[in-house]
Amino acid sequence: MASARWPCLILALLSGLAVSGFPRSPSRQLGKRSLPGAVVNGIEVYSTKVSCKVTSRFAHNVVTTRAVNHADTAKEVSFDVELPKTAFITNFTLTIDGVTYPGNVKEKEVAKKQYEKAVSQGKTAGLVKASGRKLEKFTVSVNVAAGSKVTFELTYEELLKRHKGKYEMYLKVQPKQLVKHFEITADIFEPQGISTLDAEASFITNDLLGSALTKSFSGKKGHVSFKPSLDQQRSCPTCADSLLKGDFIITYDVNRESPANVQIVNGYFVHFFAPQGLPVVPKNVVFVIDISGSMHGRKMEQTKDALLKILDDMREDDYLNFILFSGDVTTWKDSLVQATPENIQKAREFVRNIHDQGMTNINDGLLRGISMLNKAREEHKVPERSTSIIIMLTDGDANMGESRPEKIQENVRNAIEGKFPLYNLGFGNNLNYNFLESMALENHGLARRIYEDSDANLQLQGFYEEVANPLLTSVEVGYPENAIQDLTQNTYQHFYDGSEIVVAGRLADEDMNSFKADVKGHGAFNDLTFTEEVDMKETEEALKERDYIFGNYIERLWAYLTIEQLLEKRKNAHGEEKENLTAQALDLSLKYHFVTPLTSMVVTKPEDNENQTAIADKPGEGGHSDPLQGLPDQLPASSDTLLLRGRRPPLHHPSSREGCHLLQHR
């Protein structure tokens, strides 16, 4: 990963934390004259601490790792960071012998010029690797003189999304060495009060569970601490290897005495909405399934297995159908059928007999499904208060019938006309994910990658579970006219059970005493309105307790959400509209020091008595183009400094290629 001229120790953060080093040696035992197991090739990592502070779902995470070079020659130490794809890096500093080298967030075009200058001098190389399903990675390395100390500190922020009734912080822990001071702490402050809090790890033993891991919550505050001693980290009583290897997951939820909660701090507000106990709205679902030849084997078997499990979960007042596409399009039934026990049994027989064949005609498959949903509604063959959903699964690109992505997108948009959402599931890596995502987003849905793995069927089932129980449709969040500015998205086609709608904005008049927030939506039996009366003074007073977490969190939450939504809109925008969205997102990214797809974190670090530049970028799932395109694909592995390219590799590129590369989107 880093230059091969020096022994290299790697400290990695995975969505919170992971520390990795040299490949693990088989059961190293401690000898009489051995060091205590915290020194590898002269480098001791004597402290790794992760501090997670969560206020009203907004997480502020600081990872600090300290190392010392005990050798009598210089050594290279690398900080290899993997963090959630949904997070924005806000700061990175490198401190060597008391001198701090800070990171600065700059427009990507400015970073590009610095990068090109470094390349021309032969001083910079790029490294990016895909890092699994939830993570993205960058790496920085530095030469540390004999006897010197180095501190790496990374800060990132994200809004925790509610998923199946819980908020989750996921950390992958993998030190591969013993660390004298190893600690993970999470402090959670939720003004609504915490209802559940749990922490678990795949590697936790009874010894660790009893003493190293503590978790508690009372009222509005929750705390989790994991602090294993050096001996508790050992894989065996006499081993120098660490047993800390696996997932560390913190989950929690909040009290919901009312469906909504509004919080205001320093002129910014956030409105959380998640009603409980509503009846489920009946749904009309068409599954559009790719059965082309590339689905042969395990992918087809996993798809069929997932569909059979999904059929078990269908409610009797739901309606469904299956559309299969290869070179041709076939349907299970001519129209939607009710999910009666008899029809579900027939559907199971149909699914079991699905076989792969032929080419990939995405256009005709989708249009057939959309037409079927439209016709069912027009002919009143489905309940008046039901809602329609189309779910498409494909593992490749269109190569039959209409195959131009932009034309397929246009056809689908014109056919749906905004009436219901399209969810696109991309199976594997050999497909145009940008196209699937863009088409889903402009039809009020989303895209999800299904990873080719032993649990692909569970991934498919998991996605369906997220959309299986709509509680409201046509949701609109409203505020007094002229009272609110810079509002984030406030209309949603569906509210699904176990999720949460979050709206943020800025008060036009900070001196007003109160205001009213209304949420309107169509329920299973009638139209519903939820009203929240907000008393400004009471809210400010109640939130004074939050000071022990961190300051202007609502303003930063608003900025995070606004940037995220501007970047989503930008994916389907063109011309002047795209320029305006880009300018807005860039201004906010720079103002709030977020590393987004439009900015880069530039770190100047010492190397061979010179200052050199490292750059961290923000990736996109499908490889969206950006101003840094056109830079060289491969740079010499002997270069001194790593350009930290946060963008993911092209979808066809191996995820763990060795050497230093700058991977470009194609």
Side-chain angles (χ1 to χ4, degrees), residues 548-587:
Y548 87 107
I549 303 287
F550 66 103
N552 58 340
Y553 75 98
I554 288 184
E555 182 177 348
R556 295 191 67 80
L557 184 158
W558 165 82
Y560 172 99
L561 202 54
T562 301
I563 293 168
E564 188 179 61
Q565 292 174 1
L566 287 169
L567 293 173
E568 273 201 356
K569 289 180 187 175
R570 181 175 172 262
K571 290 173 183 175
N572 278 312
H574 303 282
E576 187 176 345
E577 182 191 5
K578 184 166 187 171
E579 289 176 11
N580 290 337
L581 292 169
T582 301
Q584 292 175 57
L586 175 60
D587 286 347

Side-chain angles (χ1 to χ4, degrees), residues 260-319:
N261 178 258
V262 179
Q263 298 166 30
I264 303 168
V265 175
N266 298 333
Y268 287 83
F269 80 92
V270 61
H271 184 177
F272 299 106
F273 178 74
Q276 306 281 83
L278 297 178
V280 175
V281 176
K283 62 185 180 298
N284 317 307
V285 189
V286 172
F287 298 93
V288 181
I289 307 297
D290 183 348
I291 59 164
S292 60
S294 57
M295 287 287 288
H296 177 74
R298 186 166 79 157
K299 281 194 283 189
M300 181 57 72
E301 292 307 311
Q302 289 176 319
T303 299
K304 289 161 67 173
D305 183 60
L307 290 174
L308 289 171
K309 295 290 195 306
I310 287 169
L311 285 171
D312 290 340
D313 293 335
M314 296 291 286
R315 294 171 175 267
E316 194 163 342
D317 53 359
D318 290 339
Y319 283 71

Side-chain angles (χ1 to χ4, degrees), residues 328-346:
D328 299 316
V329 177
T330 59
T331 62
W332 171 43
K333 300 289 186 183
D334 292 335
S335 59
L336 291 173
V337 298
Q338 190 173 354
T340 62
E342 182 184 1
N343 283 335
I344 290 295
Q345 185 56 40
K346 291 177 181 177

Side-chain angles (χ1 to χ4, degrees), residues 14 42 45 75 145 177 210 265 280 312 348 353 366 384 387 402 426 456 468 522 534 559-560 595 616 623 646 650:
L14 285 110
V45 180
K75 300 284 185 180
Q177 63 203 299
V265 175
V280 175
D312 290 340
R348 288 194 190 98
N353 289 314
L366 277 174
E384 186 66 30
T387 187
E402 179 56 70
H522 303 317
V534 184
Y560 172 99
V595 177

Side-chain angles (χ1 to χ4, degrees), residues 477-494:
V477 187
Y479 306 95
E481 195 173 350
N482 302 321
I484 304 298
Q485 297 175 331
D486 303 325
L487 196 64
T488 61
Q489 181 181 340
N490 67 325
T491 59
Y492 292 84
Q493 277 209 334
H494 291 101

Side-chain angles (χ1 to χ4, degrees), residues 414-426:
N414 292 339
I416 290 182
E417 294 182 316
K419 292 192 287 284
F420 48 82
L422 166 66
Y423 296 105
N424 287 332
L425 306 180

